[in-house]
Coordinates of all heavy atoms in Angstrom, one line a residue:
K111 N 112.5 45.9 111.9 CA 112.5 45.8 110.4 C 113.5 46.8 109.9 O 113.5 48.0 110.2 CB 111.1 46.2 110.0 CG 110.9 46.6 108.5 CD 109.5 46.6 108.1 CE 109.3 47.4 106.8 NZ 107.9 47.4 106.3
T112 N 114.3 46.4 108.9 CA 115.0 47.3 108.1 C 114.6 47.3 106.6 O 114.9 48.1 105.9 CB 116.5 47.0 108.1 OG1 116.8 45.8 107.4 CG2 117.1 46.9 109.5
G113 N 113.8 46.3 106.3 CA 113.3 46.2 104.9 C 112.3 45.1 104.7 O 111.7 44.6 105.7
G114 N 112.1 44.7 103.4 CA 111.0 43.7 103.1 C 111.2 42.4 103.7 O 110.2 41.6 103.9
L115 N 112.5 42.0 104.0 CA 112.7 40.7 104.7 C 111.8 40.6 106.0 O 111.2 39.5 106.2 CB 114.1 40.6 105.1 CG 114.5 39.5 106.0 CD1 114.2 38.1 105.5 CD2 116.1 39.6 106.4
D117 N 109.0 42.1 106.6 CA 107.6 42.0 106.2 C 107.3 40.5 105.9 O 106.3 39.9 106.3 CB 107.3 42.9 105.0 CG 107.3 44.3 105.3 OD1 106.6 44.8 106.2 OD2 108.1 45.0 104.7
N260 N 117.9 38.9 98.9 CA 118.7 39.9 98.2 C 120.1 39.3 98.1 O 120.8 39.2 99.1 CB 118.8 41.2 99.0 CG 119.3 42.3 98.2 OD1 120.1 42.1 97.3 ND2 118.9 43.5 98.5
W349 N 97.7 46.5 105.0 CA 97.6 47.4 103.9 C 96.3 47.3 103.2 O 96.1 46.6 102.2 CB 98.7 47.1 102.9 CG 100.1 47.3 103.4 CD1 100.9 46.4 103.9 CD2 100.8 48.6 103.4 NE1 102.1 47.0 104.3 CE2 102.0 48.3 104.0 CE3 100.5 49.9 103.0 CZ2 103.0 49.4 104.2 CZ3 101.4 50.9 103.2 CH2 102.7 50.6 103.8
I394 N 108.9 55.5 98.4 CA 109.2 55.0 99.8 C 110.3 53.9 99.7 O 110.1 52.9 99.1 CB 107.9 54.3 100.4 CG1 106.7 55.1 100.3 CG2 108.2 53.8 101.8 CD1 105.4 54.3 100.3
S395 N 111.5 54.3 100.2 CA 112.5 53.4 99.9 C 113.8 53.5 100.8 O 114.0 54.6 101.3 CB 113.0 53.7 98.4 OG 114.0 52.7 98.0
R396 N 114.5 52.4 100.8 CA 115.9 52.6 101.3 C 116.6 53.4 100.2 O 116.3 53.2 99.0 CB 116.6 51.2 101.4 CG 116.1 50.3 102.5 CD 116.9 49.1 102.7 NE 116.7 48.1 101.6 CZ 117.6 47.7 100.7 NH1 118.9 48.2 100.8 NH2 117.4 46.8 99.8
Q400 N 121.1 50.1 94.8 CA 120.1 49.1 94.3 C 118.8 49.8 93.8 O 118.2 49.4 92.8 CB 119.7 48.1 95.3 CG 118.5 47.2 95.0 CD 118.0 46.4 96.2 OE1 118.6 46.2 97.2 NE2 116.8 45.8 96.0
K401 N 118.3 50.8 94.5 CA 117.0 51.3 94.3 C 116.9 52.3 93.1 O 115.9 52.8 92.7 CB 116.5 52.0 95.5 CG 116.4 51.0 96.7 CD 115.3 49.9 96.4 CE 115.2 48.9 97.6 NZ 114.2 47.9 97.3
L423 N 110.1 59.6 100.7 CA 110.4 59.1 102.0 C 111.5 58.1 102.0 O 111.3 57.0 101.3 CB 109.1 58.6 102.7 CG 109.3 57.8 104.0 CD1 109.8 58.7 105.1 CD2 108.0 57.1 104.4
G424 N 112.6 58.3 102.6 CA 113.7 57.4 102.5 C 114.8 57.6 103.5 O 114.9 58.7 104.0
S425 N 115.6 56.6 103.7 CA 116.8 56.8 104.4 C 117.8 55.8 103.9 O 117.5 54.7 103.4 CB 116.6 56.6 105.9 OG 116.2 55.3 106.2
G450 N 114.2 59.6 106.7 CA 114.0 58.9 107.9 C 113.1 57.6 107.6 O 112.8 57.3 106.5
Y451 N 112.7 57.0 108.7 CA 111.9 55.8 108.5 C 110.6 56.1 109.2 O 110.5 56.4 110.4 CB 112.6 54.6 109.1 CG 111.8 53.3 108.9 CD1 112.1 52.6 107.7 CD2 110.8 52.9 109.7 CE1 111.4 51.4 107.4 CE2 110.1 51.8 109.4 CZ 110.3 51.0 108.3 OH 109.7 49.9 108.0
D452 N 109.4 56.0 108.5 CA 108.2 56.4 109.1 C 107.1 55.6 108.5 O 106.6 55.9 107.4 CB 108.0 57.9 108.8 CG 106.8 58.5 109.5 OD1 105.8 57.8 109.8 OD2 106.8 59.7 109.8
E453 N 106.6 54.6 109.2 CA 105.7 53.6 108.8 C 104.3 54.3 108.4 O 103.7 54.1 107.4 CB 105.5 52.6 110.0 CG 104.9 51.3 109.7 CD 105.9 50.3 109.1 OE1 107.0 50.2 109.5 OE2 105.4 49.6 108.1
A456 N 104.5 56.2 105.3 CA 104.5 55.3 104.1 C 103.0 55.0 103.7 O 102.7 55.0 102.5 CB 105.2 54.0 104.4
E473 N 115.8 44.2 91.6 CA 114.8 44.2 92.7 C 114.2 42.8 92.9 O 113.5 42.3 92.1 CB 113.6 45.2 92.4 CG 112.7 45.4 93.6 CD 113.4 46.1 94.7 OE1 113.8 47.3 94.6 OE2 113.7 45.4 95.7
C475 N 112.1 41.2 94.7 CA 110.6 41.2 94.5 C 110.1 42.7 94.6 O 109.6 43.2 93.6 CB 109.9 40.4 95.6 SG 108.1 40.5 95.4
G476 N 110.4 43.3 95.7 CA 109.8 44.7 95.9 C 108.4 44.6 96.6 O 107.6 43.7 96.1
L477 N 108.2 45.3 97.6 CA 106.9 45.3 98.2 C 106.1 46.6 98.0 O 104.9 46.6 98.0 CB 107.0 45.0 99.7 CG 107.7 43.7 100.1 CD1 107.9 43.6 101.6 CD2 106.8 42.5 99.6
T478 N 106.8 47.7 97.8 CA 106.1 48.9 97.8 C 105.2 49.0 96.6 O 104.1 49.6 96.6 CB 107.1 50.2 97.9 OG1 108.0 50.1 96.7 CG2 107.8 50.2 99.1
Q479 N 105.6 48.4 95.5 CA 104.7 48.5 94.3 C 103.5 47.6 94.5 O 102.5 47.9 93.9 CB 105.5 48.1 93.0 CG 105.6 46.6 92.7 CD 106.7 45.9 93.6 OE1 107.2 46.4 94.5 NE2 106.9 44.6 93.3
Ligands
ADP624 P1 113.8 46.3 100.4 O1 113.5 45.1 101.3 O2 114.8 46.0 99.4 O3 114.1 47.5 101.2 P2 111.0 46.1 99.7 O4 110.1 47.0 98.8 O5 110.9 44.7 99.6 O6 112.5 46.7 99.6 O7 110.5 46.4 101.2 C1 110.7 47.7 101.8 C2 109.7 47.7 103.0 O8 110.1 48.8 103.8 C3 108.3 48.1 102.6 O9 107.4 47.6 103.5 C4 108.4 49.7 102.7 O10 107.1 50.2 102.9 C5 109.2 49.9 103.8 N1 110.1 51.1 103.8 C6 111.2 51.3 103.2 N2 111.7 52.5 103.5 C7 110.8 53.1 104.3 C8 110.8 54.3 105.0 N3 111.8 55.2 104.9 N4 109.8 54.6 105.9 C9 108.8 53.6 106.1 N5 108.8 52.4 105.4 C10 109.8 52.2 104.6

Side-chain angles (χ1 to χ4, degrees):
K111 163 168 163 177
T112 71
L115 166 63
D117 291 304
N260 195 331
W349 294 99
I394 305 158
S395 188
R396 290 188 288 117
Q400 173 191 343
K401 301 292 179 180
L423 167 63
S425 62
Y451 187 90
D452 188 334
E453 201 79 44
E473 195 61 73
C475 180
L477 298 175
T478 59
Q479 86 280 9

